[in-house]
Amino acid sequence: MADRGAEDTWDLIVTPWHVDEYIPAFPMPATATRVTPPDLPAGPAAARMSLLHQAALGAVTRAARPLVLSGDCPTTRAVVAGLQRRHRDLAVLWLDAHGDFNTPAISTSGYLGGMALAMLTGRTPDLFDDTLGLNPVPETNVVLADARDLDPAEREALAAGDVRRVPADPAAITSALGRLGPVPVYLHLDIDVIDGAQLPGARFPSGPGPSLAQIEECLSAAGAATSLVGAYLACAWLPEHADDRSSRHTMTRLAAALGAELAWPEPDGG
């Protein structure tokens, strides 16, 4: 994939799992590279996730400009680790209804999917092994958009840290990215940032929020304002809804706002 050429071309990659759960029905665009999940041993979820992330790292490293479609947020570890092999400095734009800034010490649920941004910024040092070679992203290089649904301790951690918080608004995002200077940007979007009424079958709908059209505007603005060297769509629908027509439609529109076309194979039977 790495020799495809044009800087505006996206290399589509699919990681069909949520945390450590394989999702057989995860939709697969016709031109995407599918990361085959390795056989996972019984044991703690974090150890199983490490094996999945190692598999994803290989695909990301071979991609010139990865756009990852995934069923969760934590696999972002593999994408950032891969991008860091080519970009010493990297900024992160994170659009999410949640902060994903929990850690094992403050989480009330222990849900690892709610710790993904904390993982990137080095706040979970003992959760995984270091096989990815991931370097913590400085919090001053992180822009968190929306995050309307926060746990109390998570809210306090964000307030005490250096992550820049902005609304999911194109002008606010453009301004925040401009303050970072000419640094390459990795864009991460969890579909639950979209108003819950527009997300049938989502795992974690978060009630009223920006519309799909507003989020499309945010993605387009980010792409126009900075150099996007990688992107990630966390498509966290319930497994039985992952391949719904409405789910594919949402993924297609979000990818198009980034300048990528998702071509879906014809269903069996024509």
Side-chain angles (χ1 to χ4, degrees), residues 94 99-103 114-124:
W94 194 278
D100 286 0
F101 213 60
N102 276 310
T103 67
M115 305 181 191
L117 185 55
M119 294 171 186
L120 286 191
T121 56
R123 288 179 172 250
T124 61

Side-chain angles (χ1 to χ4, degrees), residues 70-123:
S70 185
D72 71 4
C73 287
T75 306
T76 191
R77 297 177 61 244
V79 184
V80 171
L83 291 173
Q84 286 177 336
R85 297 185 178 190
R86 296 192 292 274
H87 306 282
R88 186 192 321 184
D89 296 319
L90 192 69
V92 173
L93 170 59
W94 194 278
L95 298 99
D96 201 314
H98 308 95
D100 286 0
F101 213 60
N102 276 310
T103 67
I106 67 173
S107 174
T108 58
S109 66
Y111 171 58
L112 295 178
M115 305 181 191
L117 185 55
M119 294 171 186
L120 286 191
T121 56
R123 288 179 172 250

Side-chain angles (χ1 to χ4, degrees), residues 34-228:
R34 179 182 181 275
V35 179
T36 302
D39 292 332
L40 300 178
R48 291 160 55 89
M49 290 164 66
S50 286
L51 296 175
L52 292 170
H53 298 172
Q54 289 172 41
L57 176 63
V60 171
T61 302
R62 292 188 296 271
R65 190 174 183 235
L67 171 55
V68 177
L69 311 178
S70 185
D72 71 4
C73 287
T75 306
T76 191
R77 297 177 61 244
V79 184
V80 171
L83 291 173
Q84 286 177 336
R85 297 185 178 190
R86 296 192 292 274
H87 306 282
R88 186 192 321 184
D89 296 319
L90 192 69
V92 173
L93 170 59
W94 194 278
L95 298 99
D96 201 314
H98 308 95
D100 286 0
F101 213 60
N102 276 310
T103 67
I106 67 173
S107 174
T108 58
S109 66
Y111 171 58
L112 295 178
M115 305 181 191
L117 185 55
M119 294 171 186
L120 286 191
T121 56
R123 288 179 172 250
T124 61
D126 300 321
L127 195 55
F128 297 101
D129 55 37
D130 63 356
T131 53
L132 295 182
L134 175 66
N135 297 314
V137 177
E139 292 182 12
T140 51
N141 276 16
V142 178
V143 176
L144 173 60
D146 193 60
R148 63 186 181 270
D149 188 359
L150 299 172
D151 294 335
E154 181 184 30
R155 186 181 302 275
E156 293 175 4
L158 282 166
D162 292 316
V163 170
R164 186 184 301 274
R165 294 189 58 193
V166 299
D169 170 80
I173 288 172
T174 298
S175 176
L177 292 174
R179 293 191 185 99
L180 296 177
V183 59
V185 173
Y186 164 66
L187 184 151
H188 178 106
L189 181 142
D190 189 328
I191 53 104
D192 65 26
V193 73
I194 300 166
D195 190 297
Q198 293 187 317
L199 292 176
R203 284 184 188 253
F204 304 109
S206 294
S211 68
L212 173 56
Q214 289 171 312
I215 294 300
E216 288 176 294
E217 292 174 2
C218 290
L219 299 185
S220 296
T226 192
S227 173
L228 294 182

